Amino acid sequence: MKIALDPLPFRHLPIPEMISTVADLGYEWIEFSQRDDFFPFYLHPRANDDLVQLLKKSLKDTGVQIASVLPILRWSSPDEDQRQAAVRSWMRSIDITIELGVDQMNSEFSGRPEQSERSEAQWLRSMEVILPRLEKEGIKLNIEPHPDDFIEDGIEAVRMIRGLNSKNVGFLYCVPHTFYQGHDIADIVEYAGADLKHLHLADSFDYRASGGRRYLLNPAETNATVHQHLPYGQGEVDLDSFFAALKRVDFDGIATVAVFSQEEKAVENSVWMLEETKRRLGA
């Protein structure tokens, strides 16, 4: 099992400093995620060959390794121009992943819930291009359902992934999305079983609590989804049930610490989350 850190809270640091910070925090692995100078949200990668080589050197100098690469692109967009742009960006992201010597990528479905049927069709259309490339290069891909996506439900996400009928595609369970996934946390883990390949680890409040007023939005009819990526114990996820279910399915994939909500405490939270994750996973 690999325990990684998503260094998003340290994205403002130059790459060498970001990687050395990860090493100082005690992590051996990272999930390389969004940075404005490398993989910006929803846009074509900004990294050129020089920046990729700088990242490789920083990794070599510190001993940190990349467990997975995480592009977030609109490959399921109902807008066809956006979808085609996303596919082009995926191709470049795969090129970079290969150059980094990484064989694991993760992403979200990235469609629109109000156009769920078209988003699904657009995603499948994109996968007709992306999946053969991934299979050719020997790269695995794990996908997570996300709040405000065309699939939020955890079990439906597993079914969609299985429908691709590819050994290269697995399910990513993001713990802070638990309250949007429509089922008991242990039930989703056990339903996914061997298809559960990756975890994003954090806590979150149950937005449904207090009569739907755990978060207050103004005006009240605002159409928005709200969640947090908190340290364990600061939210309302049943973590004991979750980690017990992981043991029952013999989870042995990648577990990424993904606490984003307290950047002012990123150092102390990252250290504590690593130790607590090792304890809970028996790693």
Side-chain angles (χ1 to χ4, degrees), residues 13-273:
L13 298 175
I15 282 178
E17 188 175 347
M18 184 184 81
I19 300 301
S20 65
T21 297
V22 170
D24 291 343
L25 293 171
Y27 287 83
E28 299 177 8
W29 299 91
I30 64 168
E31 178 162 36
F32 197 82
S33 60
Q34 281 60 54
R35 289 178 56 101
D36 289 344
D37 63 350
F38 211 103
F39 290 130
F41 280 103
Y42 304 119
L43 299 174
H44 193 272
R46 300 319 197 216
N48 61 10
D49 289 345
D50 290 342
L51 195 59
V52 173
Q53 293 305 314
L54 178 63
L55 173 57
K56 290 177 70 173
K57 182 179 185 302
S58 301
L59 295 166
K60 183 177 180 180
D61 289 346
T62 60
V64 173
Q65 300 179 69
I66 298 178
S68 53
V69 171
L70 179 67
I72 304 296
L73 298 161
R74 300 189 195 278
W75 55 343
S76 305
S77 173
D79 182 286
E80 179 60 12
D81 287 341
Q82 282 189 339
R83 188 198 69 81
Q84 289 187 25
V87 171
R88 290 191 292 270
S89 299
W90 262 101
M91 293 298 105
R92 175 59 180 153
S93 299
I94 292 170
D95 290 341
I96 292 171
T97 301
I98 293 169
E99 177 59 28
L100 291 171
V102 179
D103 64 359
Q104 180 65 60
M105 301 180 80
N106 296 327
S107 196
E108 303 166 0
F109 285 101
S110 298
R112 295 302 311 145
E114 70 276 7
Q115 297 189 59
S116 59
E117 187 173 348
R118 176 160 176 78
S119 293
E120 176 179 326
Q122 292 288 82
W123 180 69
L124 291 169
R125 189 175 185 183
S126 295
M127 289 298 278
E128 289 175 356
V129 178
I130 294 168
L131 185 53
R133 175 86 194 279
L134 293 171
E135 290 176 338
K136 177 184 176 183
E137 304 293 352
I139 295 175
K140 302 293 181 66
L141 173 65
N142 298 320
I143 306 174
E144 61 176 303
H146 197 282
D148 197 44
D149 207 335
F150 79 94
I151 297 180
E152 295 182 337
D153 186 280
I155 287 179
E156 182 57 28
V158 175
R159 290 170 177 163
M160 175 68 79
I161 289 164
R162 287 174 177 164
L164 291 172
N165 198 31
S166 173
K167 298 297 185 183
N168 285 60
V169 186
F171 177 61
L172 189 160
Y173 190 92
C174 186
V175 178
H177 300 169
T178 290
F179 300 112
Y180 287 93
Q181 294 200 42
H183 306 272
D184 179 80
I185 191 169
D187 290 345
I188 298 174
V189 169
E190 292 178 357
Y191 184 82
D195 290 313
L196 177 60
K197 304 295 186 182
H198 201 122
L199 312 172
H200 282 170
L201 300 175
D203 206 339
S204 191
F205 292 121
D206 186 350
Y207 74 96
R208 306 164 300 179
S210 297
R213 290 183 291 273
R214 180 67 85 219
Y215 298 95
L216 296 179
L217 300 175
N218 299 103
E221 65 273 14
T222 298
N223 183 22
T225 58
V226 182
H227 71 287
Q228 293 283 10
H229 285 235
L230 297 163
Y232 299 145
Q234 294 190 22
E236 297 166 300
V237 175
D238 188 345
L239 295 169
D240 290 341
S241 177
F242 172 68
F243 283 102
L246 292 178
K247 291 180 180 179
R248 289 195 294 273
V249 300
D250 295 321
F251 176 78
D252 191 31
I254 302 171
T256 298
V257 171
V259 174
F260 306 144
S261 57
Q262 300 174 353
E263 289 193 7
E264 71 280 3
K265 298 180 179 179
V267 169
E268 59 194 271
N269 283 340
S270 297
V271 171
W272 183 83
M273 285 288 293

